[in-house]
Amino acid sequence: MNELEDIEIRLLLEGIFHYYGFDFRRYAPVAIKRRIQNILYLEQLATVSALQEKVLHDRTFLEQFLNYMTVNVTAMFRDPQFYLTFRHKVIPLLRTYPFIRVWCAGCSTGEEVYSLAILLYEENLYHRCRIYATDINETVLRNAQAGIFPLRLMQEYTQSYLQAGGKQSFSEYYTAAYDHAILRAFLKENIVFSQHNLICDRSFNEFNAILCRNVLIYFNQSLQQQVHQLLYDSLCLFGILGLGNQESLNLSHQERYYKQLAGRERLYQKIS
């Protein structure tokens, strides 16, 4: 049964790639299988072949499928030490540029993007920044662009903000409306939200800093190498790369072209 299911999964992923252009074929097999089994349960489908028929013959289901397949676990100032280190070690480097381009790749619902915008604002750099926030999933991009989050999370976010070196009252950055927190409009002014597929799309600019955190862990080794090359090609010389705390440049072909700024926080600087 497991062998048959593995064959069905391969056929499903091939079909989605050839028909829609979304390539999940080189995601980590264990993660893919777990997500597909979850979809079968939620959609009350008996087999992966039934899922294949549904997604290939019902284009309206594709968006729901992508929501299932893409991981959207995030939070504002998640891993506060990362942002504190970014504030102390990266901000002084960014100050040397007349204009700053930052790419948040795999931005999900936008919490990381707005965290960065707040940090740059407090360091008096936001007015000369452009943050490009991209994700494969258009639904989460629409949510990110709205900048509206559950009010119940603000206490947790406030603690993370303070641990990340926040300089003001976090409540100044949002307005409470019923059970939602609406981020201040000025935080969106220098953010460009756009769909981008790390697997098959190319570099679209040269950046002073790239954050691609907690994305690569879902890819197999060959796909990680491909994305590392894309990130390297997209960084300017002496640009900064930020990865998730379970990710690193170890064993990547690009490792020798970076120096470590903060190993524990996975911050690297391109040096050649």
Side-chain angles (χ1 to χ4, degrees):
M1 183 63 181
N2 284 339
E3 183 181 356
L4 177 57
E5 187 176 75
D6 290 342
I7 293 171
E8 288 181 301
I9 289 173
R10 287 198 297 272
L11 291 172
L12 168 66
L13 300 184
E14 286 289 343
I16 290 169
F17 172 67
H18 288 290
Y19 194 59
Y20 292 119
F22 293 103
D23 193 353
F24 294 101
R25 297 172 300 173
R26 287 188 288 163
Y27 276 52
V30 173
I32 280 288
K33 193 167 188 174
R34 185 169 58 245
R35 287 182 218 175
I36 288 176
Q37 288 172 341
N38 186 53
I39 297 172
L40 296 180
Y41 172 76
L42 293 172
E43 294 293 324
Q44 297 184 328
L45 297 170
T47 65
V48 178
S49 293
L51 174 60
Q52 178 177 331
E53 181 177 359
K54 185 176 179 70
V55 74
L56 292 182
H57 291 273
D58 181 3
R59 195 177 188 93
T60 60
F61 179 67
L62 175 66
E63 188 168 297
Q64 183 62 44
F65 178 82
L66 292 177
N67 287 339
Y68 285 138
M69 291 295 286
T70 52
V71 177
N72 301 307
V73 178
T74 185
M76 294 195 75
F77 294 97
R78 184 184 183 188
D79 303 324
Q81 189 62 39
F82 173 87
Y83 289 95
L84 185 63
T85 305
F86 191 97
R87 193 185 290 267
H88 291 156
K89 293 197 172 184
V90 178
I91 289 297
L93 301 174
L94 295 182
R95 289 193 195 283
T96 64
Y97 297 105
F99 189 78
I100 303 161
R101 292 185 181 88
V102 181
W103 180 15
C104 286
C107 71
S108 187
T109 45
E111 286 89 337
E112 181 176 63
V113 181
Y114 290 115
S115 301
L116 187 61
I118 289 170
L119 191 157
L120 290 165
Y121 171 77
E122 292 187 349
E123 297 298 333
N124 197 31
L125 288 177
Y126 190 55
H127 63 286
R128 52 187 172 106
C129 284
R130 181 78 76 244
I131 302 175
Y132 296 84
T134 67
D135 200 278
I136 189 177
N137 189 326
E138 288 187 286
T139 301
V140 299
L141 280 173
R142 287 195 294 270
N143 293 337
Q145 198 159 14
I148 301 174
F149 302 102
L151 188 60
R152 58 182 169 77
L153 296 176
M154 291 304 112
Q155 184 174 356
E156 174 192 335
Y157 290 174
T158 297
Q159 292 303 313
S160 296
Y161 163 77
L162 293 173
Q163 292 171 26
K167 297 181 177 181
Q168 301 187 40
S169 171
F170 187 64
S171 61
E172 294 181 17
Y173 295 113
Y174 66 87
T175 301
Y178 299 101
D179 56 349
H180 289 93
I182 304 171
L183 295 185
R184 300 287 186 184
F186 78 87
L187 290 173
K188 305 178 188 179
E189 290 177 357
N190 295 341
I191 302 175
V192 177
F193 291 96
S194 181
Q195 187 183 38
H196 181 275
N197 189 332
L198 283 169
I199 300 170
C200 57
D201 291 339
R202 298 181 178 180
S203 175
F204 57 94
N205 214 322
E206 186 177 66
F207 299 95
N208 307 104
I210 298 176
L211 302 188
C212 185
R213 305 183 67 229
N214 306 305
V215 177
L216 295 171
I217 54 174
Y218 299 105
F219 299 161
N220 68 16
Q221 189 172 3
S222 70
L223 186 50
Q224 287 182 20
Q225 294 285 6
Q226 178 182 317
V227 175
H228 272 306
Q229 186 63 51
L230 172 66
L231 300 178
Y232 173 82
D233 292 340
S234 302
L235 268 179
C236 70
L237 187 60
F238 305 122
I240 305 301
L241 174 64
L243 301 176
N245 58 15
Q246 297 181 55
E247 302 162 335
S248 76
L249 286 170
N250 294 345
L251 303 179
S252 73
H253 301 320
Q254 295 75 27
E255 181 181 9
R256 58 182 171 161
Y257 302 122
Y258 290 90
K259 79 172 182 179
Q260 199 173 87
L261 277 187
R264 185 176 177 183
E265 285 75 37
R266 304 298 196 266
L267 282 165
Y268 307 90
Q269 184 176 35
K270 179 177 175 179
I271 57 173
S272 66

